[in-house]
Amino acid sequence: MKAITLLGSTGSIGTSALSVLRQHPDKYNIYALTANRSVDILFEQCQQFEPKIAVMLDESSAELLSLRVKTAGLLTEVLSGEQALEEVAGNEAVDYVVAAIVGAAGLLPILAAAKAGKRILLANKEALVMSGRLLMREIATNGATLLPVDSEHNAIWQCLPVGKSQQYQYEGKGIRRIILTASGGPFRDYELQDLENVTPEQAIAHPNWSMGEKISVDSATMMNKGLEVIEAHWLFGMSSKSIEVVLHRQSIIHSMVDYIDGSVLAQMGNPDMRTPIANALAWPNRINSGVIPLDLVALGRLDFAKADHKHYPCLALAYEALEAGGTTTAILNAANEVAVDAFLNKRIKFTDIPIIIEQVLSEQTSCSGDSLEQVLADDKEARSLANKYII
Ligand code: NAD
Ligand code: MG
């Protein structure tokens, strides 16, 4: 029996993870569930899974939840605040931590899990984008295990040589390149000039995946793929030149590894995050996920196309940030979070997102990012610079 802390349990990944966990009560029990301020959903989850602890970042939401939990006669203890998130991520009663908080807020609890040597099922790509060097160092030093849940990275990981850990440096070891597939998002067939007036509602209506708002906008700009290039760099030790992005509109091949002998290994499946979640939960074994089997005949065809950097300027910015190194990727991530939030709140246009990120990147000086303080300071500065362009 493995004890799980599920960070961000009320979100898209969080609820998919609970859907898998619900199918295997003999293998996993829930130690802690956490959310920002979704009291109703977290209360329902507490009723169903009876975690030992429930954490809400927001204090008044925690008070509401606590009242409802007590009234319902549940034994769950309700805590609040950032410290509590770190506590449940690193607690010695916990075996696995599912990291499904969105954005930079996920970083500190993930670092706490790494320091405590946990198996971390990583959905939150922003943590690696902000501080890949620090996180990978903590993972290695403390004997933690980092398993990718992002579908592309989980696919790559499944296609890499058996028995190698994810902390292996793959560059120059028989692998020509990693090929990340991208659906192209909801605006893939739009002309460039038509992007200016697209709305948040259109941007979050993804053709293949149902996801949280922030990652849906990231998919529309393809910053999501850019963040994933950076994520792949840290997870697999590959340089930016050996990581390629290809458009694949059906989202059936989740990514590929191209070996120097000409073999290209791909991982396929229906686009449903329960597959990578189940894979990372059960590794090195396999468990049912509830995902419907792939029907290749019904599918009929798979298409591929070039990912055009003119159509997706955010992808180009992410490659440039990775090549610049240090805290540049943390600056990119912070500026993107602010710009996406402003777009969702209808304060800027869709096409302003890359413009704001580029302005912040050109104005701010990055540093080596060897310490958490540096990373957090550059994240903060990038947010205030980005906000300057919005107000
Ligand atoms: P979401 O918005 O649906 O859920 C986010 C969760 O984090 C919620 O439980 C929310 O309460 C919690 N949260 C939000 N802000 C918080 C804060 N400041 N402090 C603590 N908790 C907070 O997001 P999602 O789509 O589930 O994505 C979660 C992460 O997984 C993101 O980093 C995303 O990039 C990554 N991811 C998601 C998918 C997907 O299919 N949704 C796929 C791959 C990777
Ligand atoms: Mg992905």
Short mmCIF file of all heavy atoms in Angstrom, two decimals, residues 100-154:
data_model
loop_
_atom_site.label_atom_id
_atom_site.label_comp_id
_atom_site.label_asym_id
_atom_site.label_seq_id
_atom_site.Cartn_x
_atom_site.Cartn_y
_atom_site.Cartn_z
N ALA A 100 0.50 18.43 -9.10
CA ALA A 100 -0.46 18.92 -10.10
C ALA A 100 -0.99 20.31 -9.75
O ALA A 100 -2.11 20.67 -10.13
CB ALA A 100 -1.61 17.94 -10.26
N ILE A 101 -0.18 21.09 -9.02
CA ILE A 101 -0.51 22.51 -8.84
C ILE A 101 -0.09 23.20 -10.13
O ILE A 101 0.90 22.82 -10.75
CB ILE A 101 0.27 23.10 -7.63
CG1 ILE A 101 -0.28 22.51 -6.34
CG2 ILE A 101 0.21 24.62 -7.61
CD1 ILE A 101 0.48 22.93 -5.08
N VAL A 102 -0.84 24.23 -10.55
CA VAL A 102 -0.46 24.93 -11.78
C VAL A 102 0.49 26.09 -11.44
O VAL A 102 0.32 26.76 -10.44
CB VAL A 102 -1.72 25.43 -12.54
CG1 VAL A 102 -2.54 26.39 -11.73
CG2 VAL A 102 -1.34 26.04 -13.88
N GLY A 103 1.51 26.25 -12.29
CA GLY A 103 2.37 27.43 -12.21
C GLY A 103 3.46 27.38 -11.15
O GLY A 103 3.71 26.34 -10.52
N ALA A 104 4.08 28.56 -10.95
CA ALA A 104 5.22 28.68 -10.04
C ALA A 104 4.88 28.26 -8.61
O ALA A 104 5.77 27.86 -7.85
CB ALA A 104 5.71 30.13 -10.05
N ALA A 105 3.60 28.33 -8.24
CA ALA A 105 3.19 27.96 -6.89
C ALA A 105 3.53 26.51 -6.57
O ALA A 105 3.58 26.11 -5.41
CB ALA A 105 1.69 28.19 -6.73
N GLY A 106 3.76 25.70 -7.60
CA GLY A 106 4.08 24.30 -7.38
C GLY A 106 5.52 24.06 -6.93
O GLY A 106 5.84 23.00 -6.39
N LEU A 107 6.38 25.04 -7.16
CA LEU A 107 7.82 24.79 -6.98
C LEU A 107 8.22 24.38 -5.55
O LEU A 107 8.90 23.37 -5.36
CB LEU A 107 8.62 26.02 -7.42
CG LEU A 107 10.14 25.92 -7.20
CD1 LEU A 107 10.75 24.77 -7.99
CD2 LEU A 107 10.84 27.23 -7.58
N LEU A 108 7.83 25.17 -4.55
CA LEU A 108 8.34 24.89 -3.20
C LEU A 108 7.85 23.54 -2.65
O LEU A 108 8.65 22.78 -2.08
CB LEU A 108 8.02 26.05 -2.25
CG LEU A 108 8.75 27.36 -2.60
CD1 LEU A 108 8.39 28.47 -1.62
CD2 LEU A 108 10.26 27.18 -2.64
N PRO A 109 6.56 23.19 -2.83
CA PRO A 109 6.16 21.84 -2.38
C PRO A 109 6.90 20.72 -3.11
O PRO A 109 7.24 19.70 -2.51
CB PRO A 109 4.66 21.79 -2.70
CG PRO A 109 4.22 23.19 -2.87
CD PRO A 109 5.41 24.00 -3.24
N ILE A 110 7.21 20.92 -4.40
CA ILE A 110 7.94 19.89 -5.14
C ILE A 110 9.36 19.77 -4.59
O ILE A 110 9.89 18.66 -4.41
CB ILE A 110 7.96 20.21 -6.66
CG1 ILE A 110 6.54 20.07 -7.23
CG2 ILE A 110 8.92 19.30 -7.41
CD1 ILE A 110 6.37 20.58 -8.66
N LEU A 111 9.98 20.91 -4.30
CA LEU A 111 11.33 20.86 -3.71
C LEU A 111 11.29 20.16 -2.35
O LEU A 111 12.21 19.39 -2.02
CB LEU A 111 11.90 22.28 -3.55
CG LEU A 111 12.48 22.91 -4.84
CD1 LEU A 111 12.80 24.38 -4.61
CD2 LEU A 111 13.73 22.16 -5.31
N ALA A 112 10.22 20.39 -1.59
CA ALA A 112 10.10 19.72 -0.29
C ALA A 112 9.99 18.21 -0.48
O ALA A 112 10.60 17.42 0.27
CB ALA A 112 8.87 20.25 0.47
N ALA A 113 9.24 17.78 -1.50
CA ALA A 113 9.11 16.34 -1.78
C ALA A 113 10.46 15.76 -2.22
O ALA A 113 10.83 14.65 -1.83
CB ALA A 113 8.05 16.12 -2.86
N ALA A 114 11.19 16.53 -3.02
CA ALA A 114 12.51 16.07 -3.50
C ALA A 114 13.46 15.92 -2.32
O ALA A 114 14.17 14.91 -2.20
CB ALA A 114 13.07 17.06 -4.52
N LYS A 115 13.46 16.90 -1.43
CA LYS A 115 14.37 16.87 -0.27
C LYS A 115 14.05 15.69 0.63
O LYS A 115 14.91 15.15 1.32
CB LYS A 115 14.28 18.17 0.52
CG LYS A 115 14.98 19.30 -0.19
CD LYS A 115 15.00 20.56 0.64
CE LYS A 115 15.71 21.66 -0.14
NZ LYS A 115 15.08 22.95 -0.05
N ALA A 116 12.78 15.28 0.65
CA ALA A 116 12.37 14.16 1.50
C ALA A 116 12.49 12.82 0.76
O ALA A 116 12.07 11.78 1.29
CB ALA A 116 10.94 14.38 1.99
N GLY A 117 13.05 12.83 -0.46
CA GLY A 117 13.34 11.58 -1.17
C GLY A 117 12.12 10.84 -1.70
O GLY A 117 12.14 9.62 -1.85
N LYS A 118 11.06 11.57 -2.04
CA LYS A 118 9.82 10.92 -2.48
C LYS A 118 9.87 10.51 -3.94
O LYS A 118 10.67 11.01 -4.71
CB LYS A 118 8.63 11.88 -2.32
CG LYS A 118 8.44 12.46 -0.94
CD LYS A 118 8.17 11.39 0.08
CE LYS A 118 7.95 11.99 1.46
NZ LYS A 118 8.10 10.99 2.52
N ARG A 119 8.92 9.63 -4.34
CA ARG A 119 8.62 9.44 -5.76
C ARG A 119 7.70 10.60 -6.14
O ARG A 119 6.62 10.73 -5.57
CB ARG A 119 7.93 8.11 -6.03
CG ARG A 119 7.47 8.01 -7.49
CD ARG A 119 6.67 6.76 -7.81
NE ARG A 119 7.48 5.56 -7.81
CZ ARG A 119 7.14 4.43 -8.45
NH1 ARG A 119 6.03 4.37 -9.16
NH2 ARG A 119 7.91 3.37 -8.38
N ILE A 120 8.15 11.42 -7.10
CA ILE A 120 7.36 12.58 -7.51
C ILE A 120 6.80 12.33 -8.90
O ILE A 120 7.55 12.08 -9.85
CB ILE A 120 8.23 13.86 -7.52
CG1 ILE A 120 8.83 14.10 -6.14
CG2 ILE A 120 7.40 15.07 -7.96
CD1 ILE A 120 9.90 15.18 -6.09
N LEU A 121 5.49 12.37 -9.02
CA LEU A 121 4.83 12.25 -10.31
C LEU A 121 4.59 13.66 -10.80
O LEU A 121 3.69 14.36 -10.32
CB LEU A 121 3.50 11.49 -10.16
CG LEU A 121 3.59 9.96 -10.00
CD1 LEU A 121 4.29 9.58 -8.72
CD2 LEU A 121 2.20 9.35 -10.03
N LEU A 122 5.42 14.10 -11.74
CA LEU A 122 5.48 15.52 -12.07
C LEU A 122 4.58 15.90 -13.24
O LEU A 122 4.86 15.57 -14.38
CB LEU A 122 6.92 15.92 -12.41
CG LEU A 122 7.15 17.42 -12.60
CD1 LEU A 122 7.14 18.14 -11.25
CD2 LEU A 122 8.46 17.70 -13.32
N ALA A 123 3.50 16.64 -12.93
CA ALA A 123 2.70 17.25 -13.99
C ALA A 123 3.12 18.71 -14.14
O ALA A 123 3.19 19.24 -15.24
CB ALA A 123 1.21 17.17 -13.67
N ASN A 124 3.44 19.36 -13.01
CA ASN A 124 3.80 20.78 -12.99
C ASN A 124 5.14 21.01 -13.68
O ASN A 124 6.19 20.88 -13.06
CB ASN A 124 3.85 21.25 -11.52
CG ASN A 124 4.33 22.68 -11.40
OD1 ASN A 124 5.47 22.98 -11.70
ND2 ASN A 124 3.47 23.56 -10.95
N LYS A 125 5.07 21.36 -14.97
CA LYS A 125 6.31 21.57 -15.74
C LYS A 125 7.01 22.85 -15.34
O LYS A 125 8.21 23.00 -15.53
CB LYS A 125 6.00 21.54 -17.22
CG LYS A 125 5.07 22.62 -17.71
CD LYS A 125 4.48 22.28 -19.08
CE LYS A 125 3.28 21.37 -18.95
NZ LYS A 125 2.72 20.89 -20.19
N GLU A 126 6.23 23.82 -14.79
CA GLU A 126 6.82 25.13 -14.48
C GLU A 126 7.97 25.02 -13.48
O GLU A 126 8.91 25.82 -13.52
CB GLU A 126 5.74 26.08 -13.94
CG GLU A 126 4.67 26.48 -14.97
CD GLU A 126 3.45 25.55 -14.98
OE1 GLU A 126 3.53 24.44 -14.41
OE2 GLU A 126 2.42 25.94 -15.57
N ALA A 127 7.93 24.01 -12.59
CA ALA A 127 9.00 23.86 -11.60
C ALA A 127 10.34 23.60 -12.29
O ALA A 127 11.37 24.19 -11.92
CB ALA A 127 8.66 22.72 -10.64
N LEU A 128 10.35 22.74 -13.31
CA LEU A 128 11.60 22.46 -14.02
C LEU A 128 12.02 23.64 -14.88
O LEU A 128 13.21 23.89 -15.06
CB LEU A 128 11.44 21.22 -14.91
CG LEU A 128 11.64 19.86 -14.22
CD1 LEU A 128 11.38 18.73 -15.20
CD2 LEU A 128 13.05 19.72 -13.64
N VAL A 129 11.03 24.36 -15.42
CA VAL A 129 11.35 25.52 -16.26
C VAL A 129 11.99 26.61 -15.40
O VAL A 129 12.95 27.26 -15.79
CB VAL A 129 10.07 26.05 -16.96
CG1 VAL A 129 10.34 27.36 -17.68
CG2 VAL A 129 9.54 25.00 -17.93
N MET A 130 11.48 26.78 -14.17
CA MET A 130 12.02 27.81 -13.28
C MET A 130 13.39 27.45 -12.77
O MET A 130 14.27 28.30 -12.68
CB MET A 130 11.10 27.99 -12.07
CG MET A 130 9.80 28.67 -12.37
SD MET A 130 8.79 28.67 -10.88
CE MET A 130 9.56 29.99 -9.93
N SER A 131 13.54 26.19 -12.38
CA SER A 131 14.77 25.86 -11.65
C SER A 131 15.15 24.40 -11.87
O SER A 131 15.35 23.66 -10.91
CB SER A 131 14.57 26.11 -10.17
OG SER A 131 13.56 25.24 -9.70
N GLY A 132 15.27 24.03 -13.14
CA GLY A 132 15.62 22.64 -13.47
C GLY A 132 16.91 22.19 -12.79
O GLY A 132 16.98 21.08 -12.25
N ARG A 133 17.89 23.06 -12.80
CA ARG A 133 19.18 22.67 -12.22
C ARG A 133 19.04 22.33 -10.73
O ARG A 133 19.51 21.31 -10.25
CB ARG A 133 20.20 23.81 -12.41
CG ARG A 133 21.63 23.43 -12.07
CD ARG A 133 22.56 24.64 -12.19
NE ARG A 133 22.43 25.34 -13.47
CZ ARG A 133 22.97 24.92 -14.60
NH1 ARG A 133 23.70 23.82 -14.61
NH2 ARG A 133 22.81 25.60 -15.71
N LEU A 134 18.35 23.23 -10.01
CA LEU A 134 18.19 23.03 -8.56
C LEU A 134 17.35 21.79 -8.26
O LEU A 134 17.70 20.98 -7.39
CB LEU A 134 17.48 24.23 -7.92
CG LEU A 134 18.20 25.56 -7.92
CD1 LEU A 134 17.31 26.61 -7.28
CD2 LEU A 134 19.51 25.41 -7.17
N LEU A 135 16.26 21.64 -8.99
CA LEU A 135 15.36 20.52 -8.71
C LEU A 135 16.05 19.19 -9.03
O LEU A 135 16.00 18.26 -8.22
CB LEU A 135 14.06 20.67 -9.51
CG LEU A 135 13.01 19.58 -9.31
CD1 LEU A 135 12.69 19.34 -7.84
CD2 LEU A 135 11.72 19.92 -10.07
N MET A 136 16.72 19.09 -10.17
CA MET A 136 17.39 17.84 -10.52
C MET A 136 18.50 17.52 -9.51
O MET A 136 18.76 16.37 -9.18
CB MET A 136 17.96 17.89 -11.95
CG MET A 136 16.91 18.00 -13.05
SD MET A 136 15.53 16.84 -12.92
CE MET A 136 16.21 15.36 -13.63
N ARG A 137 19.14 18.58 -9.00
CA ARG A 137 20.19 18.37 -7.99
C ARG A 137 19.59 17.81 -6.70
O ARG A 137 20.10 16.86 -6.12
CB ARG A 137 20.90 19.70 -7.71
CG ARG A 137 22.21 19.55 -6.95
CD ARG A 137 22.71 20.90 -6.46
NE ARG A 137 23.10 21.79 -7.53
CZ ARG A 137 23.12 23.11 -7.44
NH1 ARG A 137 22.75 23.70 -6.31
NH2 ARG A 137 23.48 23.85 -8.45
N GLU A 138 18.46 18.38 -6.27
CA GLU A 138 17.80 17.89 -5.04
C GLU A 138 17.32 16.46 -5.21
O GLU A 138 17.41 15.65 -4.29
CB GLU A 138 16.62 18.78 -4.66
CG GLU A 138 16.98 20.18 -4.18
CD GLU A 138 17.78 20.19 -2.87
OE1 GLU A 138 17.95 19.13 -2.25
OE2 GLU A 138 18.25 21.28 -2.51
N ILE A 139 16.82 16.15 -6.41
CA ILE A 139 16.35 14.79 -6.69
C ILE A 139 17.51 13.81 -6.54
O ILE A 139 17.40 12.79 -5.84
CB ILE A 139 15.77 14.70 -8.12
CG1 ILE A 139 14.56 15.60 -8.31
CG2 ILE A 139 15.50 13.25 -8.53
CD1 ILE A 139 13.26 15.07 -7.83
N ALA A 140 18.64 14.14 -7.17
CA ALA A 140 19.79 13.23 -7.16
C ALA A 140 20.38 13.12 -5.76
O ALA A 140 20.69 12.01 -5.29
CB ALA A 140 20.84 13.73 -8.15
N THR A 141 20.52 14.24 -5.06
CA THR A 141 21.18 14.23 -3.75
C THR A 141 20.37 13.46 -2.71
O THR A 141 20.93 12.84 -1.82
CB THR A 141 21.35 15.68 -3.21
OG1 THR A 141 21.67 16.51 -4.29
CG2 THR A 141 22.39 15.78 -2.15
N ASN A 142 19.05 13.53 -2.83
CA ASN A 142 18.22 12.94 -1.77
C ASN A 142 17.59 11.61 -2.16
O ASN A 142 16.69 11.12 -1.46
CB ASN A 142 17.13 13.94 -1.37
CG ASN A 142 17.73 15.22 -0.80
OD1 ASN A 142 18.31 15.20 0.28
ND2 ASN A 142 17.65 16.30 -1.54
N GLY A 143 18.02 11.06 -3.28
CA GLY A 143 17.52 9.75 -3.68
C GLY A 143 16.03 9.75 -4.02
O GLY A 143 15.36 8.72 -3.89
N ALA A 144 15.53 10.91 -4.45
CA ALA A 144 14.12 10.96 -4.86
C ALA A 144 14.01 10.42 -6.30
O ALA A 144 15.02 10.24 -6.97
CB ALA A 144 13.61 12.40 -4.80
N THR A 145 12.78 10.16 -6.73
CA THR A 145 12.55 9.67 -8.09
C THR A 145 11.58 10.61 -8.78
O THR A 145 10.50 10.87 -8.25
CB THR A 145 11.92 8.25 -8.04
OG1 THR A 145 12.75 7.43 -7.21
CG2 THR A 145 11.82 7.64 -9.42
N LEU A 146 11.98 11.11 -9.93
CA LEU A 146 11.12 12.05 -10.65
C LEU A 146 10.55 11.35 -11.88
O LEU A 146 11.29 10.98 -12.78
CB LEU A 146 11.95 13.26 -11.07
CG LEU A 146 11.19 14.46 -11.64
CD1 LEU A 146 10.21 15.03 -10.62
CD2 LEU A 146 12.17 15.54 -12.08
N LEU A 147 9.24 11.14 -11.89
CA LEU A 147 8.60 10.46 -13.01
C LEU A 147 7.70 11.44 -13.76
O LEU A 147 6.83 12.07 -13.15
CB LEU A 147 7.76 9.27 -12.51
CG LEU A 147 8.53 8.20 -11.73
CD1 LEU A 147 7.60 7.06 -11.35
CD2 LEU A 147 9.70 7.68 -12.52
N PRO A 148 7.92 11.59 -15.07
CA PRO A 148 7.13 12.56 -15.81
C PRO A 148 5.69 12.12 -16.07
O PRO A 148 5.45 11.00 -16.51
CB PRO A 148 7.88 12.71 -17.15
CG PRO A 148 8.77 11.53 -17.26
CD PRO A 148 8.95 10.94 -15.90
N VAL A 149 4.76 13.02 -15.77
CA VAL A 149 3.34 12.77 -16.04
C VAL A 149 2.89 13.56 -17.28
O VAL A 149 1.94 13.18 -17.94
CB VAL A 149 2.49 13.15 -14.80
CG1 VAL A 149 1.03 13.29 -15.15
CG2 VAL A 149 2.66 12.10 -13.72
N ASP A 150 3.59 14.65 -17.59
CA ASP A 150 3.29 15.37 -18.83
C ASP A 150 3.32 14.31 -19.94
O ASP A 150 4.26 13.51 -20.02
CB ASP A 150 4.37 16.44 -19.05
CG ASP A 150 3.84 17.63 -19.82
OD1 ASP A 150 2.71 17.54 -20.34
OD2 ASP A 150 4.56 18.64 -19.90
N SER A 151 2.28 14.28 -20.79
CA SER A 151 2.10 13.12 -21.68
C SER A 151 3.30 12.92 -22.62
O SER A 151 3.71 11.78 -22.86
CB SER A 151 0.81 13.26 -22.49
OG SER A 151 0.84 14.47 -23.22
N GLU A 152 3.88 14.04 -23.10
CA GLU A 152 5.01 13.92 -24.03
C GLU A 152 6.22 13.31 -23.33
O GLU A 152 6.91 12.45 -23.88
CB GLU A 152 5.40 15.31 -24.57
CG GLU A 152 4.35 16.00 -25.42
CD GLU A 152 3.21 16.60 -24.61
OE1 GLU A 152 3.25 16.53 -23.36
OE2 GLU A 152 2.26 17.12 -25.22
N HIS A 153 6.48 13.77 -22.12
CA HIS A 153 7.69 13.32 -21.40
C HIS A 153 7.51 11.91 -20.88
O HIS A 153 8.44 11.13 -20.83
CB HIS A 153 8.02 14.33 -20.29
CG HIS A 153 8.14 15.70 -20.85
ND1 HIS A 153 7.02 16.42 -21.21
CD2 HIS A 153 9.21 16.44 -21.20
CE1 HIS A 153 7.40 17.57 -21.76
NE2 HIS A 153 8.73 17.60 -21.76
N ASN A 154 6.28 11.59 -20.52
CA ASN A 154 6.01 10.21 -20.12
C ASN A 154 6.20 9.29 -21.33
O ASN A 154 6.76 8.20 -21.21
CB ASN A 154 4.58 10.10 -19.57
CG ASN A 154 4.30 8.72 -19.05
OD1 ASN A 154 3.77 7.88 -19.79
ND2 ASN A 154 4.68 8.43 -17.82
#
